[in-house]
Amino acid sequence: MNLLNSPRTRPRRLAVVTAAAGLLAALLTAAPAVATPDPGDATTTPQRVSKSEAAETRTAIAKGEIPAPDEIVHSDNIEHLANVPKDALPDLNSDLAFQGKYAFAGNYDGFRIFDISNPRAPKTVSQVLCPGSQNDVSVSGNLLFLSTDSSRSDNSCSSTTQPASEKSSWEGMKVFDISDKKNPKYVAAVETNCGSHTHSLVPHGRNVYIYVSSYSPSPSFPDCQPPHDGISIIKVPRDAPQKAAVVNFAVLFPGDGPDGGGNPGAPTNPGVSKTTGCHDITVLPSKDLAAGACMGDGILMSIKDPEHPKVIDQVQDNVNFAFWHSATFNQTAKKVVFTDELGGGGAATCNAAVGPNRGADGIYDIVGKGDQRKLVFRGYFKIPRHQADTENCVAHNGSLIPVKGRDLMVQAWYQGGVSVWDFTDSTKPKEIGYFERGPLTTDRLTVGGSWSAYYYNGHIYSNDIAKGFDVLKLSDRRTDPARKIRLDQLNVQTQPDYFD
């Protein structure tokens, strides 16, 4: 580990920018040989678009249909308070967590701690160099947890890349002591099968359980063998984190096939990812529930016994969902929003050609009681603003905005920006606010935009892959009651009961 120490507002019209026929065909009909969700898993080298696509982008900018490069636009109910550019950690920004007056921002090179006591002027407290994608981050008490999902030479923060085909390679979870925010200390590491793409904390008395999501096994990977049909579960004693260890591998998709009982993907279901693990799990400890977004499947789980989660329902959408990416419960645990990360987060899918039901959110009601509960599809939501073919854009990480009697959410859409939307009526979701920048370039598809956008103690915080850490203020009669809700801590994948 190494410790490293206002734009104008204008209305937007919808662009009519379409995807290239070749790209669209690949997105809609070809199942990926290996899943590559989230930028950074594959190359992030900008890809030149066709001359006609570049011309369409410039025309859309000239007509005011989309903002110009680096121009910021937003709805009247959102104010951009601050931006803190990337500093000592130059790689891709990733997920966010919060505790007290601090925000913890993941980056493929490590993590950064901000003092957000003044949201208009966030201050860097420390930056920790510890490379390893995605470096998804969460916090609990004096502990910070960091996911490593890239094959490394060892578990140190000075490791280098090394092929997963080598037995000595390491991937998994890292644990830091953050009792001194200015000087975090690396205290433990736990290797997990296939690494840790994301993770979710399940607090349980004196222990913290970690549900580790990972996928894409291969017979050539000694530590990531098929079938990889479940999740690793780590038990961390709060008072002795150095004793953290895997206590179970919970099989979520039992079956007779080589990859268990999850979605088989192509050729059975063209354009859908084969389920070989989970991408992300959101737990709702107050209800002993969890929702898993698992590549080709969405699942609902009972976590009454945190070491042995139990799947109580499993759904698929082989028409419009390519990759089940993340999940969010509503306030009453009567709904789940699942996201589809069509194109792996690196493609331009927010356009007329892809349409409103692909690369979108799927809203499911939870009906029934106990272990007989079922997920029932009700509708899709996708941002109504079309983006250029040089902008990666698809549904990504978001959180609830806590208002009693309403289902409100803020969500990141990469270069589609930040969207605030209402799904109180599951069948008729609607956007009520937005913030976004113009494309990074007009002639190349360049990865950027908001990775995570979360509501915490009265403000929206966004970790932009390329542009840094943003703070937004939302002023709207529909969302203003949320300002009264104050949390001591927020890990969005460990969803709180806001009104308990």
Side-chain angles (χ1 to χ4, degrees), residues 369-389:
K369 297 181 179 180
D371 288 354
Q372 302 306 310
R373 283 172 285 192
K374 299 292 183 182
L375 293 164
V376 179
F377 174 76
R378 297 301 189 199
Y380 296 109
F381 170 76
K382 191 171 184 179
I383 57 172
R385 300 170 316 286
H386 292 165
Q387 307 295 309
D389 284 343

Side-chain angles (χ1 to χ4, degrees), residues 96-428:
L96 293 168
F98 305 89
Q99 187 180 80
K101 66 176 185 179
Y102 299 102
F104 304 82
N107 178 286
Y108 278 52
D109 279 332
F111 64 92
R112 188 175 185 178
I113 303 178
F114 293 100
D115 181 337
I116 55 172
S117 54
N118 179 1
R120 292 183 179 273
K123 296 179 180 178
T124 298
V125 177
S126 59
Q127 300 183 71
V128 175
L129 178 63
C130 195
S133 69
Q134 302 182 129
N135 277 340
D136 269 22
V137 63
S138 60
V139 292
S140 181
N142 288 328
L143 300 178
L144 178 146
F145 304 93
L146 205 64
S147 283
T148 300
D149 193 37
S150 55
S151 187
R152 312 295 298 179
S153 57
D154 55 52
N155 65 9
S156 74
C157 284
S158 58
S159 67
T160 57
T161 58
Q162 182 169 290
S165 56
E166 294 190 22
K167 176 62 178 173
S168 62
S169 296
W170 185 92
E171 299 178 69
M173 290 299 308
K174 294 169 182 166
V175 185
F176 292 79
D177 184 326
I178 54 169
S179 52
D180 181 357
K181 304 296 188 293
K182 294 182 179 179
N183 187 30
K185 299 183 184 300
Y186 184 12
V187 296
V190 180
E191 186 171 16
T192 55
N193 292 342
C194 302
S196 174
H197 195 71
T198 66
H199 69 271
S200 308
L201 302 186
V202 185
H204 193 73
R206 296 182 178 180
N207 302 304
V208 178
Y209 288 96
I210 307 175
Y211 287 179
V212 178
S213 295
S214 56
Y215 48 86
S216 293
S218 168
S220 64
F221 299 162
D223 297 322
C224 185
Q225 291 283 302
H228 185 71
D229 48 10
I231 58 173
S232 297
I233 300 177
I234 298 172
K235 182 178 180 179
V236 185
R238 293 182 187 274
D239 296 334
Q242 69 277 8
K243 295 182 180 180
V246 175
V247 294
N248 188 25
F249 183 85
V251 174
L252 305 178
F253 302 98
D256 298 329
D259 297 303
N263 199 314
T268 304
N269 297 316
V272 177
S273 291
K274 178 170 65 176
T275 298
T276 59
C278 291
H279 179 278
D280 213 333
I281 293 171
T282 293
V283 301
L284 188 59
S286 64
K287 304 292 186 182
D288 290 326
L289 282 176
C294 303
M295 305 179 72
D297 295 88
I299 58 175
L300 185 67
M301 293 185 285
S302 167
I303 57 170
K304 289 181 181 179
D305 180 351
E307 288 192 24
H308 301 91
K310 175 185 177 182
V311 175
I312 58 178
D313 196 26
Q314 175 180 351
V315 293
Q316 298 177 356
D317 179 347
N318 295 317
V319 175
N320 287 316
F321 260 50
F323 189 93
W324 296 67
H325 175 275
S326 52
T328 303
F329 289 97
N330 76 332
Q331 309 280 1
T332 59
K334 295 297 185 182
K335 301 177 186 179
V336 181
V337 173
F338 290 102
T339 65
D340 171 27
E341 196 183 40
L342 173 68
T349 71
C350 296
N351 48 45
V354 174
N357 297 335
R358 299 274 289 173
D361 296 312
I363 305 163
Y364 286 74
D365 284 355
I366 301 174
V367 300
K369 297 181 179 180
D371 288 354
Q372 302 306 310
R373 283 172 285 192
K374 299 292 183 182
L375 293 164
V376 179
F377 174 76
R378 297 301 189 199
Y380 296 109
F381 170 76
K382 191 171 184 179
I383 57 172
R385 300 170 316 286
H386 292 165
Q387 307 295 309
D389 284 343
T390 59
E391 295 179 280
N392 60 306
C393 175
V394 75
H396 211 236
N397 294 350
S399 76
L400 290 184
I401 300 175
V403 174
K404 278 190 175 182
R406 285 184 177 269
D407 296 324
L408 303 169
M409 189 170 175
V410 59
Q411 187 175 6
W413 288 78
Y414 293 120
Q415 287 193 73
V418 175
S419 176
V420 178
W421 60 289
D422 185 329
F423 62 104
T424 305
D425 183 340
S426 301
T427 64
K428 297 179 180 179

